[in-house]
């Protein structure tokens, strides 16, 4: 014993073997398994939640999590298989209802199972990266039922059939549809999209492709649009009733594509009912619908716009180039304004005041108005007409609206300087003949032109107004200065016009009657006495006179005549009969004017103060004139008009144009010099572009003219050509 | 119903009867055990007029108190671990955590715990988890702690030395390791320590070995970044898509940038750039660069190469981008703070004169840990060479608090997350957990 190594006594610790119940898992699982069965059988009232929760907790605590999870899958699948069979057995219309009932059952059961297994959800599942219990239940439902062989296709077909019959006008059970699609959405957006939405969109596309084909064959455009709108509304309503809100956009896109995009050209160009006839017939309602519907179509609005533009250009072009219309400028402009009003109304009522459409309209007007080079003249004549007469009973506001509209047309004009020329002429006539209806309207028109084109444009026009004002003062001053001398002489009212402000007239003097001559000479002396260094020329072709006449038959009248006419009539104070030649000699009025003046005195019915022999329309040198003693008129005051041409005659037109061209030359040159002064060196094309840009607000300069001006400036040594690059110009300071 | 009066509930927990209202219990939420138990789908036991729960009553009292008042009061005889276990049973653990500490405020910190380390190697890094847990990289393994500071199973990649670690989320941990044949980046479950995914690197479609340095995670675009050194001079910053695990990009190191060696990477969400900082003493000079991966350019860069001789002994040793997104804070080995302006390129460091509060001690022992920086909620946290942590607040970064705790020596790393501040000490591998207590009621 002693040889043996003495082993120290060791006290073994008491080894308590922790015996876990080997049946622990089976027992616990059985408890849960039974509970799950009771839950699925709607028999959960006897279950104790606390006990079940504690059981599941213990199973997870003792590391039975994986087995618990696997068993859960197995049990739940079994229950779902049973449900599947009962759903499959459901006949016809009961199918969806049965599916819905089972889905509700499953959801309820799943909620309770999750409650029991909450602890597993919190601990075991995150650390093992498994699917949480509730989501697991949904996945199992999806795979076992929704995507099972017998249910998958049947479910989809049932849904699509129901939707089809609803489209055909039947009433379907919408709440059932809603709960079914809700189920698909609950299973995840991908399930909803793959198993329902995509096929639904495909079926819808083919449905609408067929339907729209059918409609377009038999419907007019407006009717077709109404149907399309109704279908769109229906689909939106359907989505809001029983589909995912995200489907709205997609199904709308499908309907728009099938019914609108695919038939866009055909709809627009439909004979008798398409876009053009809607525009012609002012079909505001249809146009509004078209505008709203085609908002969704790519290129929809731009196509509408281009069709409208070409239609407006076409009608506008035929309007401005119609020789029939040229005869009446006022009517011509009125038609333009009406056309503009018409489209403005369409755009504001039907096209939501869309800026793009307004711009398109403006550019088409700009296009066709400038096709006729008499447009500036006509517009000025129109204004003349409005400001001269007819507006007398209209109030200020109406005048304003008309003027505003005219300004709109004015904006489209490219040759604004031409308009200015005519406007000046017409204004001068209005002012001198005292026919301007309202001073306020005239001034308001000036203000409009000023805001549109700047101070420069209207300075001369304003000068005209100032002249008239000063003339009045001067005349008053003249009579105040010579109260006695002039008592017996005819009253004169002199309008002193600044040369340059007024349209230049060839100065054609005539011999004034001695009475008038005397007083005018006095006036000249007075005026030159008060203003040093001025020159006064009589523009007898522009004045007017009031004369009192006693005819042979005793009737007395006061005649309002032009200065020339006055000169002629005064001759008859001393003679009874005068030949044309006599008159011409005595008055020295230019023959053209004299003829016109005699025509208006002798040949206008009702106003023939003179009698001509022979009684022909034309006036020849040997014709004799007598005072018409048989002259009668209801009125005491008789206004003798001049046979005047309102519109310009052909040579006059040529002359105006020539003058305008001449006036443009210095403007172009000034622009060139301004540009070159800033840039020093520039090539030809750039100069042309810049000049065009600068002068655009007044007129559109012709490149050929610009070239000529450049050459003239080179001659005058303002510019020189670059020695190396002949295209470059150099400014010579 | 079992309730003696409307809305009242009797609970028998482990023999002790509690009476409360259905509303109080329902306030726990439907996804808790108590909420589910009272749900209409579960019928009441018919025999008794009360609910029975087979659990510890003392802990239940604390939890019921929590539900009633929102505050957590732990009596001395209830161990914290037991309370947490019970809270987990009832599904109330999140509430307990929320009641434990408030939003982090550097001026109201208390030392919540000092957790002793056992690891053989030097503590390399501490990283805070989004939920208040943390991990500590020690030598060849990463020790993982939950927010109750209970240790989980450690994480390791074939026991290779760890360079850096980062949390992708509370349950996923990213680890970068090195070894002689290269290294690797891998994601682990922080809960179980299981390997989830290994991130691979290819150059010209050829898989290549590489050694990762620092890690960063952009959780908005779910992108992982790592500074990498390849065998064949493939230096740079790699990017992986965290969702797919596939390589998304590789930013090759431009000349004079030392990207592959970067010690710290930080994703700047405001500018959509990645800050890469390579610091002394790993490199001879310090570099800070901002990388723009969208156009593969260096958006901003700074380095202290060529600083005047008078400043030569001062090196930036750590950098952190400030939360405002337009400056980077750096610190040198003497605890001086400096700022770099990201809005202008190639400007020098604006050193703060007032930051020499700690005095200049010439500590250059081998064991010295250089200062580290962290930011949170507008405050700047800097560990100092004296072993304390300074808290700077306000727009001018005034020193407002100094934290000093266990005598584990100098702080070698700090990290903020889940409203907690973790400081890893150089000696003993102790780490301190700082948190802000809930505000007093009055």
């Amino acid at each position: 014993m002693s040889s043996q190594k003495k082993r120290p006594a060791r006290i073994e610790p008491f080894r308590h073997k922790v015996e876990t119940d080997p049946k622990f898992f089976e027992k616990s699982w059985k408890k849960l398994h039974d509970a799950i069965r009771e839950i699925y059988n709607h028999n959960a009232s006897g279950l104790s939640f606390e006990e079940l929760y504690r059981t599941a907790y213990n199973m997870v605590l003792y590391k039975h999590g994986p087995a618990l999870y696997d068993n859960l899958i197995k049990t739940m699948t079994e229950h779902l298989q049973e449900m599947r069979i009962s759903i499959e057995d459901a006949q016809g219309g009961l199918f969806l209802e049965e599916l819905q009932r089972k889905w509700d059952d499953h959801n309820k059961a799943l909620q309770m199972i999750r409650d029991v297994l909450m602890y597993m959800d919190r601990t075991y599942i995150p650390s093992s990266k498994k699917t949480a219990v509730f989501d697991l239940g949904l996945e199992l439902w999806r795979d076992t039922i929704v995507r099972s062989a017998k249910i998958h296709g049947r479910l989809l077909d049932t849904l699509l059939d129901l939707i089809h019959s609803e489209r055909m006008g039947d009433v379907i059970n919408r709440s059932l549809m809603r709960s079914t699609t809700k189920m698909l959405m609950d299973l995840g957006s991908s399930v909803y999209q793959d198993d329902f939405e995509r096929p639904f969109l495909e079926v819808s596309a083919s449905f609408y492709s067929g339907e729209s084909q059918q409609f377009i064959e038999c419907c007019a455009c407006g009717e077709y649009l109404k149907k399309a709108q109704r279908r769109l509304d229906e689909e939106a309503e359907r989505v809001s009733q029983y589909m995912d809100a995200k489907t709205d956009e997609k199904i709308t896109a499908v309907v728009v594509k099938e019914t609108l995009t695919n038939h866009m050209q055909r709809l627009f160009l439909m004979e008798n009912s398409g876009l053009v006839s809607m525009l012609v017939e002012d079909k505001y309602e249809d146009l509004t619908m078209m505008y709203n519907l085609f908002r969704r179509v790519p290129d929809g609005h731009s196509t509408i716009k281009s069709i409208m533009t070409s239609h407006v250009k076409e009608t506008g072009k035929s309007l401005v180039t119609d020789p029939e219309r040229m005869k009446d400028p006022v009517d011509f402009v009125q038609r333009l304004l009406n056309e503009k009003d018409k489209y403005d109304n369409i755009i504001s009522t039907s096209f939501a005041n869309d800026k793009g459409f307004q711009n398109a309209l403006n550019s088409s007007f700009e296009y066709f108005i400038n096709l006729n080079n008499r447009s500036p003249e006509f517009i000025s004549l129109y204004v003349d007409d409005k400001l001269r007469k007819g507006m007398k009973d209209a109030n200020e506001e109406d005048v304003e609206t008309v003027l505003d509209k005219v300004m709109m047309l004015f904006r489209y004009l490219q040759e604004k300087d031409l308009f200015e020329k005519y406007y000046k002429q017409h204004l001068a006539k209005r002012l001198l003949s005292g026919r301007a209806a309202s001073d306020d309207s005239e001034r308001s028109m000036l203000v409009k032109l000023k805001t549109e084109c700047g101070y420069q444009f209207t300075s001369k026009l304003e000068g005209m107004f100032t002249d008239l004002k000063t003339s009045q003062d001067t005349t008053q001053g003249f009579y105040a200065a010579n109260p006695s001398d002039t008592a017996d002489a005819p009253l004169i009212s002199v309008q002193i016009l600044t040369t340059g402000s007024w349209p230049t007239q060839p100065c054609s003097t005539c011999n004034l009657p001695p009475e008038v001559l005397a007083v005018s000479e006095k006036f000249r002396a007075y005026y030159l006495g008060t203003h040093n260094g001025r020159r006064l020329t009589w523009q007898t072709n522009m004045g007017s006179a009031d004369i009192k006449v006693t005819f042979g038959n005793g009737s007395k009248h006061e005649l309002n005549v032009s200065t020339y006419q006055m000169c002629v009539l005064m001759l008859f104070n001393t003679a009874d009969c005068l030949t044309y030649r006599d008159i011409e000699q005595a008055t020295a009025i230019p023959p053209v004017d004299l003829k016109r003046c005699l025509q208006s005195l002798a040949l206008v019915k009702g106003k023939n103060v003179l009698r001509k022999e022979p009684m022909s329309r034309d006036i020849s040198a040997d014709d004799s004139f007598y005072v018409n003693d048989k002259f009668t008129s209801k009125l005491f005051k008789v206004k003798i008009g001049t046979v005047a041409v309102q519109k310009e005659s052909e040579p006059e037109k040529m002359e105006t144009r020539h003058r305008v061209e001449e006036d443009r030359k210095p403007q172009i040159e000034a622009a060139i010099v301004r540009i070159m002064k800033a840039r020093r060196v520039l090539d030809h094309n750039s100069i042309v572009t810049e000049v065009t840009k600068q002068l655009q607000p007044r007129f559109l300069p012709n490149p050929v003219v610009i070239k000529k001006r450049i050459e003239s400036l080179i001659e005058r040594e303002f510019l020189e050509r670059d020695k190396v690059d002949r295209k470059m110009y150099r400014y010579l300071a | 119903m079992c309730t003696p009066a409307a809305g009242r509930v009797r609970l028998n927990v482990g023999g002790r009867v509690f009476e409360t209202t259905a509303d109080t219990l329902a306030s726990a939420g439907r996804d808790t055990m108590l909420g589910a138990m009272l749900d209409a789908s579960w019928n009441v036991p018919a025999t008794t007029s009360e609910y029975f729960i087979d659990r510890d009553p003392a802990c239940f009292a604390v939890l019921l108190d929590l539900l009633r008042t929102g505050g957590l009061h732990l009596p001395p005889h209830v161990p914290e671990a037991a309370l947490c276990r019970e809270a987990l049973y009832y599904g109330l653990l999140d509430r307990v955590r929320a009641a434990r500490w408030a939003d982090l405020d550097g001026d109201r910190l208390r030392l919540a715990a000092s957790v002793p380390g056992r690891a053989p190697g030097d503590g390399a890094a501490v990283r805070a988890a989004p939920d208040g847990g943390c991990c500590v990289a020690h030598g060849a393994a990463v020790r993982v702690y939950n927010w109750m500071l209970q240790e989980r199973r450690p994480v390791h990649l074939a026991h290779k030395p760890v360079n850096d670690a980062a949390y992708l989320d509370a349950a996923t941990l990213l680890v970068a390791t090195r070894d002689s044949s290269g290294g690797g980046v891998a994601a682990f479950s922080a809960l179980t320590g299981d390997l989830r995914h290994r991130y691979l690197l290819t150059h010209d479609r050829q898989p290549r070995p590489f050694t990762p340095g620092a890690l960063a995670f952009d959780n908005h675009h779910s992108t992982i970044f790592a500074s990498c050194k390849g065998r064949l001079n493939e230096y740079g910053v790699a990017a992986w898509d965290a969702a797919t695990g596939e390589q998304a990009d590789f930013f090759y190191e431009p000349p004079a940038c030392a990207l592959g060696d970067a010690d710290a990477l930080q994703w700047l969400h405001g500018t959509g750039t990645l800050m890469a900082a390579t610091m002394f003493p790993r490199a001879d000079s310090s570099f800070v660069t901002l990388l723009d991966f969208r156009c593969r350019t260096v958006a901003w860069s700074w380095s202290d190469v060529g600083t005047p001789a008078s400043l030569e002994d001062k090196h930036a040793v750590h950098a952190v981008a400030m939360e405002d997104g337009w400056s980077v804070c750096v610190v040198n080995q003497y605890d001086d703070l400096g700022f770099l302006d990201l809005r202008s390129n190639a400007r020098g460091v604006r050193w703060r004169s007032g930051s020499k509060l700690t005095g200049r001690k010439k500590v250059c022992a081998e064991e010295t840990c250089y200062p580290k920086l962290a930011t949170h909620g507008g405050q700047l946290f800097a560990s100092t060479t004296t072993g304390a942590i300074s808290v700077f607040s306000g727009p001018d970064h005034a020193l407002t608090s100094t934290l000093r705790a266990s005598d584990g020596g100098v702080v070698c790393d700090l990290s903020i997350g889940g409203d907690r501040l973790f400081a890893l000490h150089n000696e003993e591998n102790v780490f301190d957990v700082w948190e802000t207590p809930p505000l007093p009621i009055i």
Side-chain angles (χ1 to χ4, degrees), chain A residues 35-47 79 83 101-109 112, chain B residues 41 43:
Chain A
I36 291 173
R37 195 183 59 229
E38 294 303 318
I39 289 170
Y40 271 108
N41 290 342
H42 309 283
N43 201 12
S45 57
L47 301 173
H79 284 288
M83 287 183 167
R101 197 157 36 236
K102 292 295 178 206
W103 165 245
D104 289 343
D105 288 352
H106 178 63
N107 253 331
K108 231 171 260 164
M112 294 173 81
Chain B
S41 55
N43 286 356

Side-chain angles (χ1 to χ4, degrees), chain B residues 398-420:
Chain B
L399 180 69
T400 49
S401 298
T402 304
L403 311 174
R404 199 180 294 273
S406 53
D407 40 354
V410 182
V411 173
C412 68
D413 195 15
L414 53 102
S415 174
I416 296 172
D419 283 317
R420 274 174 157 179

Side-chain angles (χ1 to χ4, degrees), chain A residues 45 50 53 57 111 115 122, chain B residues 30-31 42 52 54 89:
Chain A
S45 57
E50 193 273 339
Y53 186 88
Y57 169 80
Q111 174 74 35
D115 286 348
R122 278 186 193 280
Chain B
R30 179 62 182 81
D31 57 345
W42 291 101
F52 175 74
D54 188 13
Y89 177 85

Side-chain angles (χ1 to χ4, degrees), chain A residues 30 47 159 180 189 199 310 333 379 394 416 459 483 571 581 592 701 716 719 732:
Chain A
K30 189 173 181 316
L47 301 173
L159 291 175
T180 310
S189 57
S310 62
V333 176
I379 292 172
K416 294 196 172 63
S459 61
L571 294 178
R581 201 171 287 121
V592 183
R716 284 178 281 159
L719 309 177
L732 297 173

Side-chain angles (χ1 to χ4, degrees), chain B residues 245-396:
Chain B
E246 299 300 317
Q247 183 182 342
D249 207 344
F250 195 88
F251 197 111
Y252 288 95
E253 178 177 297
C257 259
L259 280 188
D261 275 319
D263 314 79
L265 297 178
Q266 191 181 349
W267 176 256
L268 308 187
H269 182 63
T271 50
T273 52
L274 183 77
M275 185 192 82
T278 313
M279 288 300 177
F280 180 83
R282 182 177 297 212
D284 295 339
S285 307
S286 301
F287 304 90
V288 180
T289 41
L290 253 54
L291 309 179
D292 192 333
F293 274 78
R294 289 161 300 192
C295 50
R296 289 165 164 279
T297 50
V298 174
W300 180 92
S301 72
W302 167 84
S303 105
D304 67 357
V305 174
T307 35
S310 62
L311 297 167
E312 214 157 47
D313 61 332
K314 289 210 267 186
H315 285 286
V317 293
H318 195 230
V320 67
M322 300 302 287
E323 285 155 329
D324 55 23
W326 39 265
S327 61
V328 167
C329 179
V330 294
V331 65
N332 68 13
Q333 64 269 49
Y334 306 113
D335 301 336
D336 295 327
L337 293 182
F339 292 89
L340 289 162
D341 195 339
L342 293 180
R343 291 166 299 182
S344 61
N345 228 328
R347 284 267 213 83
V349 182
R350 193 161 42 81
W351 290 106
R352 268 169 45 102
S353 50
S355 65
K356 295 163 194 147
L357 292 166
T358 48
R360 181 159 306 184
K361 286 192 286 178
K362 282 277 174 189
V363 276
C364 272
E366 278 173 41
E367 284 295 305
T368 301
C369 282
Y370 289 120
K372 289 284 168 69
L373 298 167
T375 59
H376 183 271
Q379 289 177 318
L380 182 65
F381 299 79
S383 63
T384 64
T385 44
T386 59
I389 296 168
S390 303
V391 183
F392 301 92
S393 312
D396 297 325

